[in-house]
Amino acid sequence: MPGCGPPRLRATLRPAMRTFDLRSDTVTQPTPAMRAAMLAAAADDDAYGDDAAVVALEARVADLLGKPAALWLPTGTMANQIAIALHCPRASAIACVPGAHVRIHEDASAAALWGAQLMPIGGRFGFDVDALEALVAEEACGWPPVALVWLENTLGEAGGAVWPLVDRRACPTGVDPLHPIAEQARSLGKALHLDGARLWNAHVATGVPMAEWGRVADTVSVALSKGLGAPAGSVLCGPTDLILRARRLKHGLGGAMRQAPALLAAAGAHALDHHVARLADDHRRARQLAAAIADLPHWEVATPQTNLVLARVAPPLRRAEPLCAALRAAGIRCYPNIAREVRFALHLGIGDDDLATIIETIRSALGMDPTRFVEAAEGAPKATS
Ligand SMILES: *Cc1c(COP(=O)(O)O)cnc(C)c1O
């Protein structure tokens, strides 16, 4: 009889629905090997700078990025906020793309903590030298002086698009590659920070070494907790004097987490050993998912460059939430990042078999007729005529 019997039997009769979390590449579980590395960590006090594994990880990432020094931090947000504190006097401006993580997703901390104003220039895929020049030209007229030029790579709000170093052909209109931008910023006497939470993805997608990207900015932050799959941790890299100041700011902000960084550094080192090259698998799966979604009448989707798939609802659909609700009910966790658009993130927790199931589930949950989602989106019955 259904519903009776021991739990194991019930599970066989009605298997629990498998769920797949595509909300972000932060949702990964530490792998068994990563957990083993964490358990084996010596775990000394990071607030005293005593933990050899944290010190070694900092040196390793500094070296990778071609910088003299580095600092492990609990989150990318703290790394970004410390970078602002290092570069920006109060009432100064930061030039960044409109969709920069630091502008949209960090709870107005640039303003609240440091009195810095984020000035958007360019578009989703970056900005050009002219836009930067125009912003700096306004400084004399009462606009806040630009203290920092902010780069992000890959660009999260652009679906993990790579902002190229030198290749102009890879840039849309209104975007220059990073080299001429950095050159312009330096000639104007401006500091540069690169928010490289997903810089590993840019590195793997292009084959350009991390240090080449690192060279474009004075300070660079990279995440160990996104595609690389550590439970937490980012590393801020830069000149020795700035990183010393950053260490004080970390204490001041309450980020000196005693023995915890030792465990998290063990996870980070494991991630660097085992989870960088495999990002290419995430990128391939993202292209496969995008192609499958593009076959459905519900979506318009561009070919992803890295691990994020941006799917925009196709007319007559106007809102992505009803489609997301149907997908969630079928076991696929996702949400609209803006009203008409969903971002699906591929990561360490999604293998080829999972992807095949996900694609099947999306097809069957949405069907081939988008009109029922038009009704849901409009909140009114469909006209019968
Ligand atoms: C996720 C992310 C951050 C913040 O990292 P947390 O560790 O979640 O605080 C900063 N910048 C970018 C581009 C990100 O994607």
Side-chain angles (χ1 to χ4, degrees), residues 24-26 73-80 100-102 105-106 150 152-157 195-198 221 223-226 232-234 308 343:
S24 176
D25 44 6
T26 58
L73 292 160
T75 65
T77 299
M78 193 184 283
N80 280 347
H101 191 282
V102 70
H105 298 289
E106 297 183 17
W150 192 275
E152 185 177 305
N153 221 359
T154 64
L155 291 144
E157 290 290 306
D195 177 356
R198 294 195 182 89
S221 50
L224 303 166
S225 60
K226 292 227 159 115
S234 279
L308 306 176
R343 189 187 75 174

PDB file of all heavy atoms in Angstrom, residues 24-26 73-80 100-102 105-106 150 152-157 195-198 221 223-226 232-234 308 343, ligand 1:
ATOM      1  N   SER A  24      23.647  29.748  -8.536  1.00  0.00           N
ATOM      2  CA  SER A  24      24.966  30.388  -8.564  1.00  0.00           C
ATOM      3  C   SER A  24      26.034  29.312  -8.514  1.00  0.00           C
ATOM      4  O   SER A  24      25.753  28.164  -8.143  1.00  0.00           O
ATOM      5  CB  SER A  24      25.117  31.324  -7.358  1.00  0.00           C
ATOM      6  OG  SER A  24      26.432  31.871  -7.325  1.00  0.00           O
ATOM      7  N   ASP A  25      27.255  29.699  -8.830  1.00  0.00           N
ATOM      8  CA  ASP A  25      28.369  28.769  -8.650  1.00  0.00           C
ATOM      9  C   ASP A  25      28.914  28.840  -7.226  1.00  0.00           C
ATOM     10  O   ASP A  25      29.952  28.252  -6.917  1.00  0.00           O
ATOM     11  CB  ASP A  25      29.472  29.020  -9.694  1.00  0.00           C
ATOM     12  CG  ASP A  25      29.788  30.494  -9.883  1.00  0.00           C
ATOM     13  OD1 ASP A  25      29.240  31.325  -9.131  1.00  0.00           O
ATOM     14  OD2 ASP A  25      30.570  30.823 -10.786  1.00  0.00           O
ATOM     15  N   THR A  26      28.217  29.542  -6.341  1.00  0.00           N
ATOM     16  CA  THR A  26      28.590  29.522  -4.916  1.00  0.00           C
ATOM     17  C   THR A  26      27.931  28.376  -4.163  1.00  0.00           C
ATOM     18  O   THR A  26      28.217  28.171  -2.986  1.00  0.00           O
ATOM     19  CB  THR A  26      28.151  30.814  -4.199  1.00  0.00           C
ATOM     20  OG1 THR A  26      26.744  30.942  -4.363  1.00  0.00           O
ATOM     21  CG2 THR A  26      28.839  32.029  -4.763  1.00  0.00           C
ATOM     22  N   LEU A  73      40.964  36.497   2.666  1.00  0.00           N
ATOM     23  CA  LEU A  73      39.819  37.155   3.300  1.00  0.00           C
ATOM     24  C   LEU A  73      38.613  36.227   3.223  1.00  0.00           C
ATOM     25  O   LEU A  73      38.521  35.389   2.323  1.00  0.00           O
ATOM     26  CB  LEU A  73      39.505  38.474   2.585  1.00  0.00           C
ATOM     27  CG  LEU A  73      40.584  39.558   2.761  1.00  0.00           C
ATOM     28  CD1 LEU A  73      40.488  40.618   1.680  1.00  0.00           C
ATOM     29  CD2 LEU A  73      40.477  40.168   4.154  1.00  0.00           C
ATOM     30  N   PRO A  74      37.689  36.369   4.192  1.00  0.00           N
ATOM     31  CA  PRO A  74      36.560  35.434   4.221  1.00  0.00           C
ATOM     32  C   PRO A  74      35.646  35.539   3.000  1.00  0.00           C
ATOM     33  O   PRO A  74      35.078  34.530   2.581  1.00  0.00           O
ATOM     34  CB  PRO A  74      35.805  35.789   5.505  1.00  0.00           C
ATOM     35  CG  PRO A  74      36.404  37.038   6.027  1.00  0.00           C
ATOM     36  CD  PRO A  74      37.733  37.237   5.377  1.00  0.00           C
ATOM     37  N   THR A  75      35.472  36.735   2.444  1.00  0.00           N
ATOM     38  CA  THR A  75      34.554  36.878   1.309  1.00  0.00           C
ATOM     39  C   THR A  75      35.115  37.837   0.262  1.00  0.00           C
ATOM     40  O   THR A  75      35.972  38.681   0.558  1.00  0.00           O
ATOM     41  CB  THR A  75      33.172  37.455   1.746  1.00  0.00           C
ATOM     42  OG1 THR A  75      33.377  38.786   2.226  1.00  0.00           O
ATOM     43  CG2 THR A  75      32.509  36.603   2.810  1.00  0.00           C
ATOM     44  N   GLY A  76      34.550  37.728  -0.926  1.00  0.00           N
ATOM     45  CA  GLY A  76      34.905  38.649  -1.993  1.00  0.00           C
ATOM     46  C   GLY A  76      34.393  40.048  -1.704  1.00  0.00           C
ATOM     47  O   GLY A  76      35.015  41.039  -2.104  1.00  0.00           O
ATOM     48  N   THR A  77      33.280  40.123  -1.021  1.00  0.00           N
ATOM     49  CA  THR A  77      32.746  41.437  -0.659  1.00  0.00           C
ATOM     50  C   THR A  77      33.723  42.169   0.251  1.00  0.00           C
ATOM     51  O   THR A  77      33.999  43.358   0.064  1.00  0.00           O
ATOM     52  CB  THR A  77      31.358  41.268   0.012  1.00  0.00           C
ATOM     53  OG1 THR A  77      30.479  40.657  -0.925  1.00  0.00           O
ATOM     54  CG2 THR A  77      30.801  42.599   0.454  1.00  0.00           C
ATOM     55  N   MET A  78      34.290  41.456   1.231  1.00  0.00           N
ATOM     56  CA  MET A  78      35.257  42.112   2.118  1.00  0.00           C
ATOM     57  C   MET A  78      36.508  42.513   1.327  1.00  0.00           C
ATOM     58  O   MET A  78      37.070  43.591   1.547  1.00  0.00           O
ATOM     59  CB  MET A  78      35.628  41.235   3.306  1.00  0.00           C
ATOM     60  CG  MET A  78      36.364  42.019   4.385  1.00  0.00           C
ATOM     61  SD  MET A  78      36.945  41.026   5.784  1.00  0.00           S
ATOM     62  CE  MET A  78      35.436  40.766   6.694  1.00  0.00           C
ATOM     63  N   ALA A  79      36.922  41.670   0.386  1.00  0.00           N
ATOM     64  CA  ALA A  79      38.085  42.009  -0.444  1.00  0.00           C
ATOM     65  C   ALA A  79      37.805  43.286  -1.236  1.00  0.00           C
ATOM     66  O   ALA A  79      38.649  44.190  -1.302  1.00  0.00           O
ATOM     67  CB  ALA A  79      38.408  40.848  -1.386  1.00  0.00           C
ATOM     68  N   ASN A  80      36.627  43.370  -1.826  1.00  0.00           N
ATOM     69  CA  ASN A  80      36.282  44.573  -2.593  1.00  0.00           C
ATOM     70  C   ASN A  80      36.225  45.804  -1.696  1.00  0.00           C
ATOM     71  O   ASN A  80      36.720  46.879  -2.050  1.00  0.00           O
ATOM     72  CB  ASN A  80      34.927  44.380  -3.284  1.00  0.00           C
ATOM     73  CG  ASN A  80      35.051  43.551  -4.561  1.00  0.00           C
ATOM     74  OD1 ASN A  80      36.152  43.326  -5.047  1.00  0.00           O
ATOM     75  ND2 ASN A  80      33.924  43.123  -5.095  1.00  0.00           N
ATOM     76  N   ALA A 100      28.163  46.269 -12.080  1.00  0.00           N
ATOM     77  CA  ALA A 100      29.274  45.733 -11.263  1.00  0.00           C
ATOM     78  C   ALA A 100      28.747  45.166  -9.943  1.00  0.00           C
ATOM     79  O   ALA A 100      27.858  45.743  -9.314  1.00  0.00           O
ATOM     80  CB  ALA A 100      30.293  46.834 -10.987  1.00  0.00           C
ATOM     81  N   HIS A 101      29.327  44.048  -9.534  1.00  0.00           N
ATOM     82  CA  HIS A 101      28.942  43.441  -8.251  1.00  0.00           C
ATOM     83  C   HIS A 101      29.051  44.470  -7.136  1.00  0.00           C
ATOM     84  O   HIS A 101      28.154  44.602  -6.296  1.00  0.00           O
ATOM     85  CB  HIS A 101      29.837  42.234  -7.961  1.00  0.00           C
ATOM     86  CG  HIS A 101      29.372  41.404  -6.816  1.00  0.00           C
ATOM     87  ND1 HIS A 101      29.563  41.771  -5.503  1.00  0.00           N
ATOM     88  CD2 HIS A 101      28.692  40.227  -6.778  1.00  0.00           C
ATOM     89  CE1 HIS A 101      29.040  40.844  -4.707  1.00  0.00           C
ATOM     90  NE2 HIS A 101      28.503  39.901  -5.453  1.00  0.00           N
ATOM     91  N   VAL A 102      30.126  45.254  -7.145  1.00  0.00           N
ATOM     92  CA  VAL A 102      30.370  46.221  -6.081  1.00  0.00           C
ATOM     93  C   VAL A 102      29.281  47.292  -6.054  1.00  0.00           C
ATOM     94  O   VAL A 102      29.014  47.885  -5.012  1.00  0.00           O
ATOM     95  CB  VAL A 102      31.776  46.849  -6.238  1.00  0.00           C
ATOM     96  CG1 VAL A 102      31.846  47.767  -7.453  1.00  0.00           C
ATOM     97  CG2 VAL A 102      32.203  47.566  -4.969  1.00  0.00           C
ATOM     98  N   HIS A 105      25.462  44.577  -5.619  1.00  0.00           N
ATOM     99  CA  HIS A 105      25.269  43.442  -4.710  1.00  0.00           C
ATOM    100  C   HIS A 105      26.012  43.566  -3.383  1.00  0.00           C
ATOM    101  O   HIS A 105      26.211  42.569  -2.697  1.00  0.00           O
ATOM    102  CB  HIS A 105      25.725  42.148  -5.404  1.00  0.00           C
ATOM    103  CG  HIS A 105      24.935  41.820  -6.630  1.00  0.00           C
ATOM    104  ND1 HIS A 105      23.625  41.390  -6.594  1.00  0.00           N
ATOM    105  CD2 HIS A 105      25.260  41.866  -7.939  1.00  0.00           C
ATOM    106  CE1 HIS A 105      23.187  41.177  -7.820  1.00  0.00           C
ATOM    107  NE2 HIS A 105      24.159  41.466  -8.671  1.00  0.00           N
ATOM    108  N   GLU A 106      26.501  44.751  -3.037  1.00  0.00           N
ATOM    109  CA  GLU A 106      27.266  44.837  -1.792  1.00  0.00           C
ATOM    110  C   GLU A 106      26.653  45.841  -0.828  1.00  0.00           C
ATOM    111  O   GLU A 106      27.334  46.498  -0.039  1.00  0.00           O
ATOM    112  CB  GLU A 106      28.755  45.112  -2.111  1.00  0.00           C
ATOM    113  CG  GLU A 106      29.335  43.940  -2.911  1.00  0.00           C
ATOM    114  CD  GLU A 106      30.825  44.025  -3.232  1.00  0.00           C
ATOM    115  OE1 GLU A 106      31.539  44.817  -2.605  1.00  0.00           O
ATOM    116  OE2 GLU A 106      31.250  43.274  -4.136  1.00  0.00           O
ATOM    117  N   TRP A 150      37.452  50.729 -11.751  1.00  0.00           N
ATOM    118  CA  TRP A 150      37.053  49.401 -11.267  1.00  0.00           C
ATOM    119  C   TRP A 150      36.779  48.485 -12.459  1.00  0.00           C
ATOM    120  O   TRP A 150      35.932  48.787 -13.297  1.00  0.00           O
ATOM    121  CB  TRP A 150      35.778  49.545 -10.436  1.00  0.00           C
ATOM    122  CG  TRP A 150      35.432  48.318  -9.661  1.00  0.00           C
ATOM    123  CD1 TRP A 150      34.734  47.233 -10.111  1.00  0.00           C
ATOM    124  CD2 TRP A 150      35.742  48.047  -8.294  1.00  0.00           C
ATOM    125  NE1 TRP A 150      34.602  46.300  -9.112  1.00  0.00           N
ATOM    126  CE2 TRP A 150      35.216  46.783  -7.980  1.00  0.00           C
ATOM    127  CE3 TRP A 150      36.426  48.766  -7.295  1.00  0.00           C
ATOM    128  CZ2 TRP A 150      35.346  46.213  -6.700  1.00  0.00           C
ATOM    129  CZ3 TRP A 150      36.543  48.199  -6.040  1.00  0.00           C
ATOM    130  CH2 TRP A 150      36.010  46.935  -5.759  1.00  0.00           C
ATOM    131  N   GLU A 152      35.941  44.394 -13.718  1.00  0.00           N
ATOM    132  CA  GLU A 152      35.404  43.118 -13.241  1.00  0.00           C
ATOM    133  C   GLU A 152      35.584  42.094 -14.356  1.00  0.00           C
ATOM    134  O   GLU A 152      35.319  42.378 -15.518  1.00  0.00           O
ATOM    135  CB  GLU A 152      33.913  43.275 -12.884  1.00  0.00           C
ATOM    136  CG  GLU A 152      33.297  42.030 -12.268  1.00  0.00           C
ATOM    137  CD  GLU A 152      31.826  42.246 -11.860  1.00  0.00           C
ATOM    138  OE1 GLU A 152      31.529  43.189 -11.100  1.00  0.00           O
ATOM    139  OE2 GLU A 152      30.968  41.458 -12.318  1.00  0.00           O
ATOM    140  N   ASN A 153      36.059  40.890 -13.993  1.00  0.00           N
ATOM    141  CA  ASN A 153      36.283  39.855 -15.004  1.00  0.00           C
ATOM    142  C   ASN A 153      36.247  38.478 -14.341  1.00  0.00           C
ATOM    143  O   ASN A 153      36.947  38.269 -13.366  1.00  0.00           O
ATOM    144  CB  ASN A 153      37.654  40.061 -15.659  1.00  0.00           C
ATOM    145  CG  ASN A 153      37.611  39.831 -17.155  1.00  0.00           C
ATOM    146  OD1 ASN A 153      36.566  39.506 -17.712  1.00  0.00           O
ATOM    147  ND2 ASN A 153      38.740  39.970 -17.800  1.00  0.00           N
ATOM    148  N   THR A 154      35.376  37.578 -14.835  1.00  0.00           N
ATOM    149  CA  THR A 154      34.404  37.832 -15.863  1.00  0.00           C
ATOM    150  C   THR A 154      33.301  38.755 -15.331  1.00  0.00           C
ATOM    151  O   THR A 154      33.196  38.960 -14.120  1.00  0.00           O
ATOM    152  CB  THR A 154      33.773  36.516 -16.369  1.00  0.00           C
ATOM    153  OG1 THR A 154      33.048  35.902 -15.281  1.00  0.00           O
ATOM    154  CG2 THR A 154      34.828  35.538 -16.846  1.00  0.00           C
ATOM    155  N   LEU A 155      32.497  39.272 -16.243  1.00  0.00           N
ATOM    156  CA  LEU A 155      31.442  40.200 -15.857  1.00  0.00           C
ATOM    157  C   LEU A 155      30.183  39.410 -15.482  1.00  0.00           C
ATOM    158  O   LEU A 155      29.535  38.807 -16.337  1.00  0.00           O
ATOM    159  CB  LEU A 155      31.155  41.147 -17.020  1.00  0.00           C
ATOM    160  CG  LEU A 155      32.293  42.144 -17.324  1.00  0.00           C
ATOM    161  CD1 LEU A 155      32.416  42.399 -18.818  1.00  0.00           C
ATOM    162  CD2 LEU A 155      32.068  43.454 -16.569  1.00  0.00           C
ATOM    163  N   GLY A 156      29.859  39.445 -14.195  1.00  0.00           N
ATOM    164  CA  GLY A 156      28.737  38.637 -13.695  1.00  0.00           C
ATOM    165  C   GLY A 156      27.410  38.991 -14.348  1.00  0.00           C
ATOM    166  O   GLY A 156      26.670  38.116 -14.807  1.00  0.00           O
ATOM    167  N   GLU A 157      27.109  40.282 -14.402  1.00  0.00           N
ATOM    168  CA  GLU A 157      25.811  40.710 -14.941  1.00  0.00           C
ATOM    169  C   GLU A 157      25.744  40.544 -16.464  1.00  0.00           C
ATOM    170  O   GLU A 157      24.684  40.664 -17.057  1.00  0.00           O
ATOM    171  CB  GLU A 157      25.534  42.178 -14.576  1.00  0.00           C
ATOM    172  CG  GLU A 157      25.257  42.392 -13.113  1.00  0.00           C
ATOM    173  CD  GLU A 157      23.915  41.808 -12.675  1.00  0.00           C
ATOM    174  OE1 GLU A 157      22.897  42.141 -13.277  1.00  0.00           O
ATOM    175  OE2 GLU A 157      23.911  41.002 -11.729  1.00  0.00           O
ATOM    176  N   ASP A 195      38.147  43.302  -9.872  1.00  0.00           N
ATOM    177  CA  ASP A 195      37.343  42.341  -9.125  1.00  0.00           C
ATOM    178  C   ASP A 195      37.310  41.061  -9.962  1.00  0.00           C
ATOM    179  O   ASP A 195      36.540  40.934 -10.905  1.00  0.00           O
ATOM    180  CB  ASP A 195      35.924  42.897  -8.906  1.00  0.00           C
ATOM    181  CG  ASP A 195      35.013  41.894  -8.200  1.00  0.00           C
ATOM    182  OD1 ASP A 195      35.454  40.755  -7.952  1.00  0.00           O
ATOM    183  OD2 ASP A 195      33.857  42.266  -7.902  1.00  0.00           O
ATOM    184  N   GLY A 196      38.185  40.144  -9.589  1.00  0.00           N
ATOM    185  CA  GLY A 196      38.325  38.908 -10.367  1.00  0.00           C
ATOM    186  C   GLY A 196      37.710  37.718  -9.656  1.00  0.00           C
ATOM    187  O   GLY A 196      38.297  36.632  -9.663  1.00  0.00           O
ATOM    188  N   ALA A 197      36.534  37.905  -9.072  1.00  0.00           N
ATOM    189  CA  ALA A 197      35.880  36.773  -8.396  1.00  0.00           C
ATOM    190  C   ALA A 197      35.857  35.559  -9.329  1.00  0.00           C
ATOM    191  O   ALA A 197      36.101  34.432  -8.896  1.00  0.00           O
ATOM    192  CB  ALA A 197      34.462  37.156  -7.974  1.00  0.00           C
ATOM    193  N   ARG A 198      35.563  35.805 -10.608  1.00  0.00           N
ATOM    194  CA  ARG A 198      35.547  34.715 -11.593  1.00  0.00           C
ATOM    195  C   ARG A 198      36.686  34.872 -12.612  1.00  0.00           C
ATOM    196  O   ARG A 198      36.539  34.465 -13.760  1.00  0.00           O
ATOM    197  CB  ARG A 198      34.200  34.654 -12.303  1.00  0.00           C
ATOM    198  CG  ARG A 198      33.044  34.275 -11.398  1.00  0.00           C
ATOM    199  CD  ARG A 198      31.796  33.875 -12.174  1.00  0.00           C
ATOM    200  NE  ARG A 198      30.702  33.566 -11.276  1.00  0.00           N
ATOM    201  CZ  ARG A 198      29.817  34.450 -10.813  1.00  0.00           C
ATOM    202  NH1 ARG A 198      29.910  35.718 -11.190  1.00  0.00           N
ATOM    203  NH2 ARG A 198      28.855  34.076  -9.987  1.00  0.00           N
ATOM    204  N   SER A 221      41.301  41.028  -6.737  1.00  0.00           N
ATOM    205  CA  SER A 221      40.724  40.045  -5.817  1.00  0.00           C
ATOM    206  C   SER A 221      40.218  38.854  -6.623  1.00  0.00           C
ATOM    207  O   SER A 221      39.689  39.021  -7.721  1.00  0.00           O
ATOM    208  CB  SER A 221      39.584  40.669  -5.002  1.00  0.00           C
ATOM    209  OG  SER A 221      38.672  41.339  -5.838  1.00  0.00           O
ATOM    210  N   ALA A 223      38.190  34.875  -6.121  1.00  0.00           N
ATOM    211  CA  ALA A 223      37.402  34.048  -5.196  1.00  0.00           C
ATOM    212  C   ALA A 223      37.859  32.598  -5.254  1.00  0.00           C
ATOM    213  O   ALA A 223      38.178  32.079  -6.322  1.00  0.00           O
ATOM    214  CB  ALA A 223      35.921  34.139  -5.549  1.00  0.00           C
ATOM    215  N   LEU A 224      37.884  31.977  -4.096  1.00  0.00           N
ATOM    216  CA  LEU A 224      38.099  30.530  -4.031  1.00  0.00           C
ATOM    217  C   LEU A 224      36.774  29.806  -3.863  1.00  0.00           C
ATOM    218  O   LEU A 224      36.721  28.580  -3.898  1.00  0.00           O
ATOM    219  CB  LEU A 224      39.027  30.208  -2.854  1.00  0.00           C
ATOM    220  CG  LEU A 224      40.389  30.923  -2.896  1.00  0.00           C
ATOM    221  CD1 LEU A 224      41.112  30.831  -1.562  1.00  0.00           C
ATOM    222  CD2 LEU A 224      41.245  30.336  -4.017  1.00  0.00           C
ATOM    223  N   SER A 225      35.710  30.570  -3.662  1.00  0.00           N
ATOM    224  CA  SER A 225      34.425  29.999  -3.243  1.00  0.00           C
ATOM    225  C   SER A 225      33.399  29.935  -4.362  1.00  0.00           C
ATOM    226  O   SER A 225      32.284  29.513  -4.147  1.00  0.00           O
ATOM    227  CB  SER A 225      33.852  30.843  -2.106  1.00  0.00           C
ATOM    228  OG  SER A 225      33.668  32.168  -2.553  1.00  0.00           O
ATOM    229  N   LYS A 226      33.738  30.403  -5.555  1.00  0.00           N
ATOM    230  CA  LYS A 226      32.759  30.318  -6.647  1.00  0.00           C
ATOM    231  C   LYS A 226      33.047  29.049  -7.438  1.00  0.00           C
ATOM    232  O   LYS A 226      32.897  27.964  -6.908  1.00  0.00           O
ATOM    233  CB  LYS A 226      32.816  31.586  -7.487  1.00  0.00           C
ATOM    234  CG  LYS A 226      32.299  32.787  -6.699  1.00  0.00           C
ATOM    235  CD  LYS A 226      31.327  33.629  -7.481  1.00  0.00           C
ATOM    236  CE  LYS A 226      30.473  34.459  -6.538  1.00  0.00           C
ATOM    237  NZ  LYS A 226      30.699  35.903  -6.668  1.00  0.00           N
ATOM    238  N   ALA A 232      34.413  28.978   1.473  1.00  0.00           N
ATOM    239  CA  ALA A 232      34.534  30.435   1.614  1.00  0.00           C
ATOM    240  C   ALA A 232      35.962  30.805   1.270  1.00  0.00           C
ATOM    241  O   ALA A 232      36.846  29.949   1.231  1.00  0.00           O
ATOM    242  CB  ALA A 232      34.201  30.895   3.042  1.00  0.00           C
ATOM    243  N   GLY A 233      36.165  32.093   1.042  1.00  0.00           N
ATOM    244  CA  GLY A 233      37.521  32.587   0.872  1.00  0.00           C
ATOM    245  C   GLY A 233      37.739  33.318  -0.433  1.00  0.00           C
ATOM    246  O   GLY A 233      37.316  32.874  -1.500  1.00  0.00           O
ATOM    247  N   SER A 234      38.362  34.490  -0.309  1.00  0.00           N
ATOM    248  CA  SER A 234      38.834  35.253  -1.458  1.00  0.00           C
ATOM    249  C   SER A 234      40.244  35.714  -1.118  1.00  0.00           C
ATOM    250  O   SER A 234      40.618  35.730   0.056  1.00  0.00           O
ATOM    251  CB  SER A 234      37.933  36.460  -1.724  1.00  0.00           C
ATOM    252  OG  SER A 234      36.778  36.069  -2.426  1.00  0.00           O
ATOM    253  N   LEU A 308      28.159  30.775 -17.055  1.00  0.00           N
ATOM    254  CA  LEU A 308      26.843  31.317 -16.745  1.00  0.00           C
ATOM    255  C   LEU A 308      26.012  31.396 -18.026  1.00  0.00           C
ATOM    256  O   LEU A 308      26.503  31.849 -19.051  1.00  0.00           O
ATOM    257  CB  LEU A 308      26.962  32.708 -16.122  1.00  0.00           C
ATOM    258  CG  LEU A 308      27.868  32.822 -14.883  1.00  0.00           C
ATOM    259  CD1 LEU A 308      27.972  34.274 -14.426  1.00  0.00           C
ATOM    260  CD2 LEU A 308      27.348  31.944 -13.742  1.00  0.00           C
ATOM    261  N   ARG A 343      19.433  33.587 -14.858  1.00  0.00           N
ATOM    262  CA  ARG A 343      20.817  33.168 -14.980  1.00  0.00           C
ATOM    263  C   ARG A 343      20.945  31.752 -14.433  1.00  0.00           C
ATOM    264  O   ARG A 343      20.576  31.496 -13.292  1.00  0.00           O
ATOM    265  CB  ARG A 343      21.707  34.115 -14.174  1.00  0.00           C
ATOM    266  CG  ARG A 343      23.176  33.871 -14.428  1.00  0.00           C
ATOM    267  CD  ARG A 343      24.029  34.687 -13.506  1.00  0.00           C
ATOM    268  NE  ARG A 343      24.030  34.133 -12.148  1.00  0.00           N
ATOM    269  CZ  ARG A 343      24.793  34.598 -11.160  1.00  0.00           C
ATOM    270  NH1 ARG A 343      25.547  35.646 -11.362  1.00  0.00           N
ATOM    271  NH2 ARG A 343      24.766  34.036  -9.972  1.00  0.00           N
TER     272      ARG A 343
HETATM  273  C1  LIG B   1      30.422  36.832  -5.787  1.00  0.00           C
HETATM  274  C2  LIG B   1      31.132  38.043  -6.214  1.00  0.00           C
HETATM  275  C3  LIG B   1      31.681  38.903  -5.265  1.00  0.00           C
HETATM  276  C4  LIG B   1      31.493  38.716  -3.767  1.00  0.00           C
HETATM  277  O1  LIG B   1      31.952  37.520  -3.274  1.00  0.00           O
HETATM  278  P1  LIG B   1      31.382  36.943  -1.883  1.00  0.00           P
HETATM  279  O2  LIG B   1      32.439  35.972  -1.478  1.00  0.00           O
HETATM  280  O3  LIG B   1      30.065  36.330  -2.202  1.00  0.00           O
HETATM  281  O4  LIG B   1      31.255  38.093  -0.932  1.00  0.00           O
HETATM  282  C5  LIG B   1      32.357  40.025  -5.720  1.00  0.00           C
HETATM  283  N1  LIG B   1      32.479  40.260  -7.037  1.00  0.00           N
HETATM  284  C6  LIG B   1      31.971  39.460  -7.971  1.00  0.00           C
HETATM  285  C7  LIG B   1      32.163  39.786  -9.423  1.00  0.00           C
HETATM  286  C8  LIG B   1      31.261  38.325  -7.601  1.00  0.00           C
HETATM  287  O5  LIG B   1      30.731  37.546  -8.534  1.00  0.00           O
END
